[in-house]
Amino acid sequence: MPVPFVYNPGMANYDFGKHPFRAANVSDLREYLQPHIDDGSIDVVASEPASDDLLLAVHSPDYIEKVLRLEKRSGHLSMDTWVAPGTPDAAKAVVGGAVKAVDLALGGEDVVLCTGGFHHAGVDYGEGFCIYNDVAVAADHALGSGARKVMIIDTDAHQGNGTMDIFYRSMDVLFLSLHQHPRTLYPGRGFAHETGDGDGTGFTVNIPMFPFSRDQDYEMAFERAVRPIVEQFDPDMMIRNGGADPHYRDQLTALGMSMTGFRWMGGAIREMAKGVDAPLVDLPISGYGDHAVPGWLQIWSGATGIDLTVPFDEGAYEGHPRFPGELVHEENEKMLDEVAENLKGRWDLL
Ligand SMILES: [Zn+2]
């Protein structure tokens, strides 16, 4: 059975011009996948741009209006995010892709590949290169289409503040994020003590990773926290988002994951989803540098079990000028103790 890859050429128009975010990655990805499309292991599925109704499930009418107003004069939503002509339509194409991916997953596909993960957009704000939050719309759409419990695993180096805020009081959507420690990176949110509110208390899980965290730190966090929560929450839909910016060569971050780690991570999440009989929608988009698309393909190789990798020389981590060579495993161990303590009574972590 081919694995569906949801692709809408409109996604590639999500572009800010001279900016670290590189929309052309999406068309490069499409090209890299061509041999697998030709041999029948990947199936390209078209999607429609999201309707305003879908956006309104997550964003306020005032915000959507503001985006369209700003588009006319290329105005800013935040310091790093502006609305150039055409970007709201491209953002709608991105959201429509994620919604289509959810439909396919709920229709019986085990794993659905798409691009996206604009997790810094909230109900009434856009920032961090994000205009509309496709992850949140997708999760909300899953709930409206028969899923009872949705789990979002956000593995982007930056914490998903928009997604977190949208579901902070919800117990139907469990938002779990592993990200570079908020004291050291935008958006400065996602401390271990931010665990949700009201009915949603315990349904937001933040796992800050110290700068220079490596694959083995992520493996420990998965064993001690991610896996137990997946098993205990028992979702019927899983959405993973986050691209290649935890890689040690990333230009905007200071984490230390490798290509091998990405592949392991994609596989580990797929295995966990299988274990609870939930389909998985996988949405990468980030990565600042030429490791971005090769990194996504590593994650997807893990998630699909198909070798989609492309040759990429990541160089040696040891001796890399940006890394001091010190291990931060102990600090991460202590952080996981804190995460477990904060969630006591809701989830039993190791
Ligand atoms: Zn990021």
Side-chain angles (χ1 to χ4, degrees):
M1 283 291 285
V3 176
F5 162 56
V6 178
Y7 176 72
N8 175 338
M11 292 174 178
N13 298 328
Y14 193 92
D15 199 75
F16 297 98
K18 199 169 156 36
H19 195 282
F21 182 83
R22 192 176 167 272
N25 280 342
V26 177
S27 19
D28 289 355
L29 171 72
R30 173 75 178 71
E31 261 173 52
Y32 284 137
L33 288 175
Q34 193 58 48
H36 308 283
I37 296 164
D38 292 341
D39 74 15
S41 46
I42 298 281
D43 186 21
V44 181
V45 179
S47 61
E48 295 290 316
S51 65
D52 281 349
D53 278 350
L54 279 167
L55 299 181
L56 284 166
V58 157
H59 296 289
S60 70
D62 286 354
Y63 175 69
I64 293 171
E65 221 171 87
K66 178 180 168 185
V67 167
L68 296 178
R69 214 166 50 235
L70 288 174
E71 182 184 19
K72 295 198 179 96
R73 51 183 173 88
S74 288
H76 278 69
L77 283 166
S78 71
M79 235 160 64
D80 60 10
T81 308
W82 58 94
V83 189
T87 43
D89 282 342
K92 280 176 148 182
V94 171
V95 176
V99 165
K100 178 72 185 179
V102 163
D103 285 339
L104 292 168
L106 289 174
E109 298 287 352
D110 292 336
V111 182
V112 184
L113 310 175
C114 187
T115 50
F118 291 85
H119 58 166
H120 300 304
V123 172
D124 55 5
Y125 62 87
E127 56 179 58
F129 324 154
C130 302
I131 297 174
Y132 301 132
N133 192 320
D134 57 321
V135 186
V137 174
D140 185 83
H141 178 69
L143 289 178
S145 309
R148 292 168 304 112
K149 290 187 280 182
V150 179
M151 180 159 177
I152 298 169
I153 301 183
D154 187 330
T155 63
D156 196 271
H158 302 90
Q159 198 261 358
N161 55 321
T163 317
M164 172 170 77
D165 287 349
I166 289 164
F167 297 118
Y168 207 62
R169 292 174 157 272
S170 168
M171 59 190 300
D172 303 322
V173 177
L174 192 152
F175 172 73
L176 182 149
S177 177
L178 303 117
H179 47 267
Q180 189 178 322
H181 197 292
R183 274 209 193 87
T184 64
L185 189 67
Y186 167 84
R189 306 273 314 281
F191 290 90
H193 62 78
E194 293 177 84
T195 58
D197 195 18
D199 286 348
T201 303
F203 293 86
T204 290
V205 178
N206 282 296
I207 307 177
M209 306 293 291
F210 283 91
F212 319 129
S213 290
R214 301 170 72 161
D215 297 341
Q216 53 266 47
D217 296 292
Y218 277 81
E219 283 167 25
M220 174 173 68
F222 268 58
E223 274 320 303
R224 289 189 52 189
V226 184
R227 187 183 305 281
I229 291 174
V230 171
E231 288 170 0
Q232 291 164 45
F233 180 58
D234 190 21
D236 40 26
M237 161 68 79
M238 281 179 47
I239 301 173
R240 190 207 66 86
N241 75 272
D245 61 5
H247 192 268
Y248 62 79
R249 277 185 44 173
D250 198 86
Q251 291 159 13
L252 296 188
T253 68
L255 289 168
M257 280 195 90
S258 72
M259 290 290 170
T260 311
F262 285 155
R263 188 164 183 160
W264 158 80
M265 188 170 70
I269 292 175
R270 168 75 193 276
E271 282 306 310
M272 286 189 273
K274 251 193 207 165
V276 294
D277 208 14
L280 170 68
V281 167
D282 201 280
L283 301 169
I285 196 71
S286 68
Y288 307 97
D290 56 3
H291 59 286
V293 187
W296 307 351
L297 290 166
Q298 291 283 352
I299 297 171
W300 282 2
S301 297
T304 59
I306 306 167
D307 186 0
L308 304 171
T309 56
V310 288
F312 179 75
D313 179 12
E314 61 187 332
Y317 180 97
E318 306 298 341
H320 193 283
R322 279 179 56 204
F323 292 93
E326 74 188 39
L327 296 177
V328 290
H329 208 63
E330 265 178 42
E331 283 91 321
N332 282 320
E333 267 180 346
K334 283 184 212 140
M335 180 57 75
L336 285 164
D337 291 341
E338 197 183 321
V339 170
E341 186 61 32
N342 290 337
L343 294 168
K344 228 181 192 168
R346 174 60 70 191
W347 314 114
D348 284 327
L349 304 193
L350 303 175

